[in-house]
Amino acid sequence: MDYILHLGILICIYTILAQSLSLVAGYSGQMSLAHAGFYGIGAYTTALLSVNYGFPVLLTIPVALLISGIVAYIVSKVAVKTIDDYYIIITLGIQVVIFSIMNNWQELTRGPLGIPGIPSFEIFGFVFDSKFSFLLLSVFFTSLVWFVLKNITSSPFGRMLRALSEDEIYTKSLGKNVAQAKVVSFVISGMLASIAGVLYAHYISYIDPTTFTIDESIFILSIVIIGGMRNLRGIFFASAFLVLLPEALRFVGMPSSIAANMRQIFYGIALIMVIFQMGKQQQKKANA
Amino acid sequence: MTLKVQHIAKSYGEKQVLKDVSFELQKGTVTVLMGTNGSGKTTLFNIVSGFLKQDKGEILLDGKTINQTEPYQINQLGISRTFQDMRLIGKLTAKENVLLAFPKQKGENWWNVILPNKKVKQEQETNQQKAEELLKTCFIDDVADHKANEISYGQQKLLNLACCMANNTYVILLDEPVAGVNPVYRDRLTTIIQQLKQQGKAILIIEHNTDFIEQVADEILFLNDGTLTLFDNYETLKNNPQVQEAYI
């Protein structure tokens, strides 16, 4: 039973990550590979503050949001000046930089040794130390993120994002500040991803840099692509599908060593789909 | 509101496309910009709307310079434009395209849309009604819920004008609004442009269709060899030896 609850928690965490990425990759058409970086910023912020300084979670969450928001703002201010492949390369570079900081700034992050002993999530004296209570907490945060993203994407701001992803020049000609909209969507996306990081750190109670690698960014992007670039509900189902897939394959008799590697196969498929998606976008631009 | 374009010059490498272009647009007038292919008409549009920077000269909107201003800011100041190639958001419906064009929407500020907001909701409801009326005015209310890339070319041209009306700027630049449409749609487009003129808009149109020009033009600017000549009507332009030479 505990294992099923554990899978439920992971589905929630990946739903937050993938839905928040869809705001950037799906709605505003910016294919970001830095998402695991913001996931890591959330996790490391809460871990360092709670382990080293005893900060309560209610304080570490706003700090994690703030730091990831600042980093996302700086990154997007640079990345917004580029398009397509260049944009992806910049976000890839940022992902590598964030990972390198986690891995090499040993005085702060303990590098590859990671940070153990992260306390359980606690609010007003209630400790979410059982799998069931943590699942409820995760469902709450997932619903909150979903609700916020639903509001944003169905608003005129969301419409503007969809428009600029299809034709930036036309959207500018209508008086829309396209650059600002792209920066804002990236910042919101990065901040929401950090919430998943906070949840993960307090759930697992130990973090190290290997959780926040480029592989993780590609995995999150693959969820978005499989679920539908602008389909929040589809992304939830895709998260469930990709988290449960190795388990399902084990149940049908596939050796666990192969089943676990199915994730890698999906990375490959996702990468091919990304290239197709980019090809389609470039074709559209060429036809415009 | 007046738009003054003064002594604009623009070169692409060695080739000087615009040498010394000056003109003025007044409210409630339709000015047609003519010229042979490659004479620099679209370049002039791109400069006025901020998508291209001129080498020399100045653009003044109500006496204030708009040089070095971003295209989206120029639109917010009161100049909108259409493009020669059809530009709409194909994946949005016709109504959503019109809704997108409304200026200064509260719902376009992210801080208003993180959580449900009554003011944004009210604004959206009002804009929905306005959009439906505009689509009706532009004879395309029957395709309001069709994707913009799924309606006919003539309907897309009408939708372009509906978006211009929703955008509600003082100066409107239309790049070949009736090119490639049948006479029925041309008449509809003409009707809408005349309505915009009656509303007091200053309209500058690039066009080659002579019937249309005769119907709508208050004055005609002829761009040739990088300079502009002003004509009162199409007859005088047609009989001008310089114009005849340019087209031959």
Side-chain angles (χ1 to χ4, degrees):
Chain A
M1 186 64 187
D2 265 6
Y3 190 61
I4 291 169
L5 295 175
H6 165 74
L7 292 175
I9 292 164
L10 288 185
I11 290 168
C12 287
I13 288 172
Y14 281 111
T15 300
I16 293 173
L17 288 168
Q19 285 186 341
S20 57
L21 179 61
S22 88
L23 186 65
V24 169
Y27 285 89
S28 62
Q30 309 169 86
M31 208 65 86
S32 170
L33 286 179
H35 219 55
F38 297 107
Y39 178 34
I41 289 172
Y44 268 90
T45 305
T46 197
L48 290 168
L49 291 177
S50 55
V51 171
N52 295 345
Y53 305 102
F55 274 39
V57 176
L58 280 180
L59 251 173
T60 65
I61 291 176
V63 177
L65 287 171
L66 185 70
I67 293 175
S68 56
I70 291 168
V71 174
Y73 179 78
I74 295 165
V75 172
S76 60
K77 276 300 230 186
V78 177
V80 81
K81 294 187 172 122
T82 63
I83 53 164
D84 300 336
D85 310 3
Y86 302 101
Y87 185 91
I88 296 174
I89 290 166
I90 286 182
T91 58
L92 177 65
I94 295 303
Q95 168 64 44
V96 172
V97 169
I98 295 172
F99 175 78
S100 300
I101 291 171
M102 291 171 191
N103 206 33
N104 296 311
W105 193 355
Q106 299 206 7
E107 295 80 7
L108 181 72
T109 65
R110 287 172 37 95
L113 296 174
I115 303 174
I118 302 166
S120 295
F121 206 102
E122 185 183 336
I123 300 176
F124 303 124
F126 184 84
V127 183
F128 294 84
D129 53 359
S130 73
K131 289 253 187 315
F132 182 70
S133 63
F134 204 88
L135 177 63
L136 291 181
L137 182 77
S138 304
V139 168
F140 168 76
F141 276 105
T142 307
S143 307
L144 187 67
V145 168
W146 196 331
F147 178 70
V148 167
L149 287 170
K150 185 82 188 154
N151 274 325
I152 292 173
T153 54
S154 59
S155 71
F157 179 73
R159 190 192 299 130
M160 182 169 47
L161 293 182
R162 279 184 287 161
L164 74 87
S165 76
E166 193 173 322
D167 191 338
E168 267 193 53
I169 291 174
Y170 177 66
T171 312
K172 275 183 202 171
S173 79
L174 292 173
K176 314 298 174 191
N177 189 344
V178 164
Q180 189 189 58
K182 284 163 94 172
V183 170
V184 166
S185 64
F186 196 88
V187 170
I188 293 173
S189 171
M191 289 170 82
L192 294 178
S194 74
I195 293 174
V198 172
L199 283 177
Y200 179 81
H202 289 283
Y203 172 59
I204 300 290
S205 79
Y206 167 79
I207 56 166
D208 71 79
T210 57
T211 311
F212 312 107
T213 59
I214 181 68
D215 283 2
E216 196 67 2
S217 280
I218 295 171
F219 181 62
I220 299 163
L221 187 58
S222 67
I223 295 173
V224 177
I225 292 168
I226 291 165
M229 301 292 283
R230 296 175 182 171
N231 184 348
L232 298 177
R233 188 182 298 171
I235 287 167
F236 165 72
F237 286 116
S239 302
F241 173 69
L242 285 186
V243 168
L244 297 177
L245 183 73
E247 313 308 319
L249 292 175
R250 268 194 325 167
F251 277 114
V252 297
M254 190 177 279
S256 58
S257 58
I258 298 174
N261 289 329
M262 286 305 286
R263 213 178 168 189
Q264 304 292 338
I265 293 169
F266 272 88
Y267 288 168
I269 294 169
L271 276 175
I272 293 166
M273 288 168 87
V274 167
I275 290 162
F276 270 117
Q277 187 72 23
M278 283 169 59
K280 265 199 250 171
Q281 281 177 0
Q282 282 175 358
Q283 185 66 43
K284 217 184 294 163
K285 279 175 190 163
N287 292 339
Chain B
M1 183 164 274
T2 53
L3 176 78
K4 274 188 188 174
V5 173
Q6 294 179 331
H7 310 296
I8 293 292
K10 178 72 186 174
S11 299
Y12 294 115
E14 296 281 293
K15 193 184 176 191
Q16 190 165 24
V17 180
L18 303 174
K19 287 176 184 165
D20 183 12
V21 171
S22 299
F23 66 91
E24 192 173 324
L25 296 181
Q26 298 288 351
K27 63 182 281 192
T29 58
V30 175
T31 307
V32 171
L33 176 61
M34 289 185 76
T36 52
N37 287 336
S39 59
K41 303 182 295 294
T42 300
T43 295
L44 189 56
F45 259 40
N46 287 340
I47 289 171
V48 174
S49 56
F51 285 96
L52 201 61
K53 297 299 168 204
Q54 68 270 35
D55 302 330
K56 283 182 194 162
E58 196 168 27
I59 301 161
L60 302 162
L61 191 63
D62 256 4
K64 286 179 189 164
T65 181
I66 55 167
N67 289 359
Q68 309 302 322
T69 308
E70 288 290 312
Y72 82 91
Q73 290 169 322
I74 288 179
N75 178 280
Q76 289 174 356
L77 289 169
I79 301 174
S80 64
R81 69 165 294 181
T82 64
F83 294 84
Q84 190 179 355
D85 50 334
M86 182 54 69
R87 279 182 187 265
L88 286 164
I89 305 302
K91 282 188 181 169
L92 295 183
T93 64
K95 197 203 278 183
E96 284 173 324
N97 267 278
V98 176
L99 287 167
L100 174 72
F102 284 115
K104 292 174 187 166
Q105 297 180 55
K106 288 187 183 80
E108 283 178 354
N109 296 325
W110 64 270
W111 59 87
N112 283 332
V113 298
I114 297 264
L115 297 170
N117 184 320
K118 220 176 189 179
K119 282 181 184 171
V120 171
K121 204 180 167 195
Q122 279 172 351
E123 183 192 57
Q124 278 188 276
E125 282 167 4
T126 312
N127 284 350
Q128 287 271 353
Q129 281 179 352
K130 280 191 203 166
E132 281 161 19
E133 283 163 22
L134 282 172
L135 289 167
K136 205 169 185 179
T137 306
C138 293
F139 312 98
I140 44 171
D141 49 324
D142 54 330
V143 293
D145 297 321
H146 289 55
K147 295 263 166 64
N149 59 8
E150 290 168 359
I151 60 178
S152 74
Y153 187 69
Q155 286 168 328
Q156 287 178 342
K157 289 271 186 185
L158 288 164
L159 179 55
N160 245 198
L161 277 187
C163 292
C164 272
M165 291 174 101
N167 209 218
N168 199 24
T169 54
Y170 305 104
V171 180
I172 301 173
L173 314 175
L174 303 174
D175 201 341
E176 302 196 10
V178 299
V181 299
N182 66 36
V184 175
Y185 279 105
R186 196 181 66 214
D187 289 346
R188 289 177 176 180
L189 287 157
T190 307
T191 306
I192 298 163
I193 289 167
Q194 279 164 343
Q195 279 179 21
L196 286 166
K197 179 185 159 181
Q198 280 162 10
Q199 287 169 15
K201 310 290 185 194
I203 305 168
L204 179 64
I205 304 175
I206 295 176
E207 191 50 71
H208 299 287
N209 186 304
T210 52
D211 292 340
F212 172 75
I213 293 168
E214 280 183 295
Q215 271 181 292
V216 300
D218 293 312
E219 55 184 19
I220 302 171
L221 296 167
F222 186 73
L223 184 59
N224 187 36
D225 199 24
T227 55
L228 274 181
T229 315
L230 177 68
F231 294 92
D232 289 337
N233 55 53
Y234 183 66
E235 271 309 302
T236 50
L237 173 127
K238 202 168 65 176
N239 296 323
N240 185 283
Q242 272 184 320
V243 175
Q244 288 171 349
E245 196 184 327
Y247 275 105
I248 294 164

